[in-house]
Each structure stands twice: as C-alpha cells, then as structure tokens.
Amino acid sequence: MEEDTDDEGHEEEADDGSANEYTDDDASWKVHRAAAKCLAALIVSRRELLSKLYDEACPKLIDRFKEIEENVKMNVFNTFIELSRQSGNVTKGHLRYVH
C-alpha cells in the first residue's frame, strides 16, 4: 500500500507543467537554432524554391518569434529577414534560374 502512495506523489510532481519550460540540460534550443540556420541556408541556396519556402516557412518562423532562448530568437529573426530579402530580390527580378 505504501508503494502505491509514493507513486501517486511522483505523478503529481511530473504534472506541474514544467515539461514545457527550458532547463539547463534541455538541448531543444540547440535543435531550434540549428533548424533556423539550415532554413536560412536553404533560402539563400535554393532560390527556385523560394515561393514554396515563403508559403510554408513564413508562418512557422513567425510562430517561433516567441522563443525563450535569445540565441534561437536572433537566428529566427535573421532567417525571417533573409526570407524577406530574397523575396524582395524576386520581385525586383534579380532571381537567376540555374538550368
């Protein structure tokens, strides 16, 4: 009987909502930062995909503006700026297609 009450106490501690918060040993911010950098590289290097990237990535980048980690937030902003810059280049006719 005592073992059951101990297990219940641990379950309550796990449900305190802290699972969504960053901790020092949580490496998810590194993944988010790397994803933003990869997306920025894709935006610059694959301009022929820019329209699709804009449609799919722009809303997701805007959602990531709420990042807690400053490094990630800056990379997300820089990626969004690069997406905007490349989109401006397309509208000005600076896009070169590689055949």
Side-chain angles (χ1 to χ4, degrees), residues 7 9 12 16 35 40 46 85 96:
D7 289 341
E12 290 175 14
D16 67 356
R46 298 294 308 266
R85 182 178 297 131
R96 288 189 260 162

Side-chain angles (χ1 to χ4, degrees), residues 20-22 26-36 60-77:
N20 294 330
E21 296 177 13
Y22 285 109
D26 188 2
S28 64
W29 68 271
K30 293 178 183 178
V31 174
H32 294 167
R33 183 178 66 181
K60 293 175 183 167
L61 282 170
I62 292 170
D63 286 344
R64 299 307 323 174
F65 286 171
K66 302 175 213 169
E67 273 291 335
I68 296 169
E69 181 63 38
E70 285 297 318
N71 290 333
V72 178
K73 190 182 294 189
M74 291 308 300
N75 284 338
V76 169
F77 284 141

Side-chain angles (χ1 to χ4, degrees), residues 4-49:
D4 290 338
T5 58
D6 288 341
D7 289 341
E8 290 173 10
H10 292 296
E11 288 176 17
E12 290 175 14
E13 290 175 13
D15 292 335
D16 67 356
S18 63
N20 294 330
E21 296 177 13
Y22 285 109
T23 60
D24 289 337
D25 59 335
D26 188 2
S28 64
W29 68 271
K30 293 178 183 178
V31 174
H32 294 167
R33 183 178 66 181
K37 287 182 176 183
C38 287
L39 183 57
L42 191 62
I43 289 166
V44 172
S45 66
R46 298 294 308 266
R47 293 180 184 167
E48 70 275 9
L49 299 176

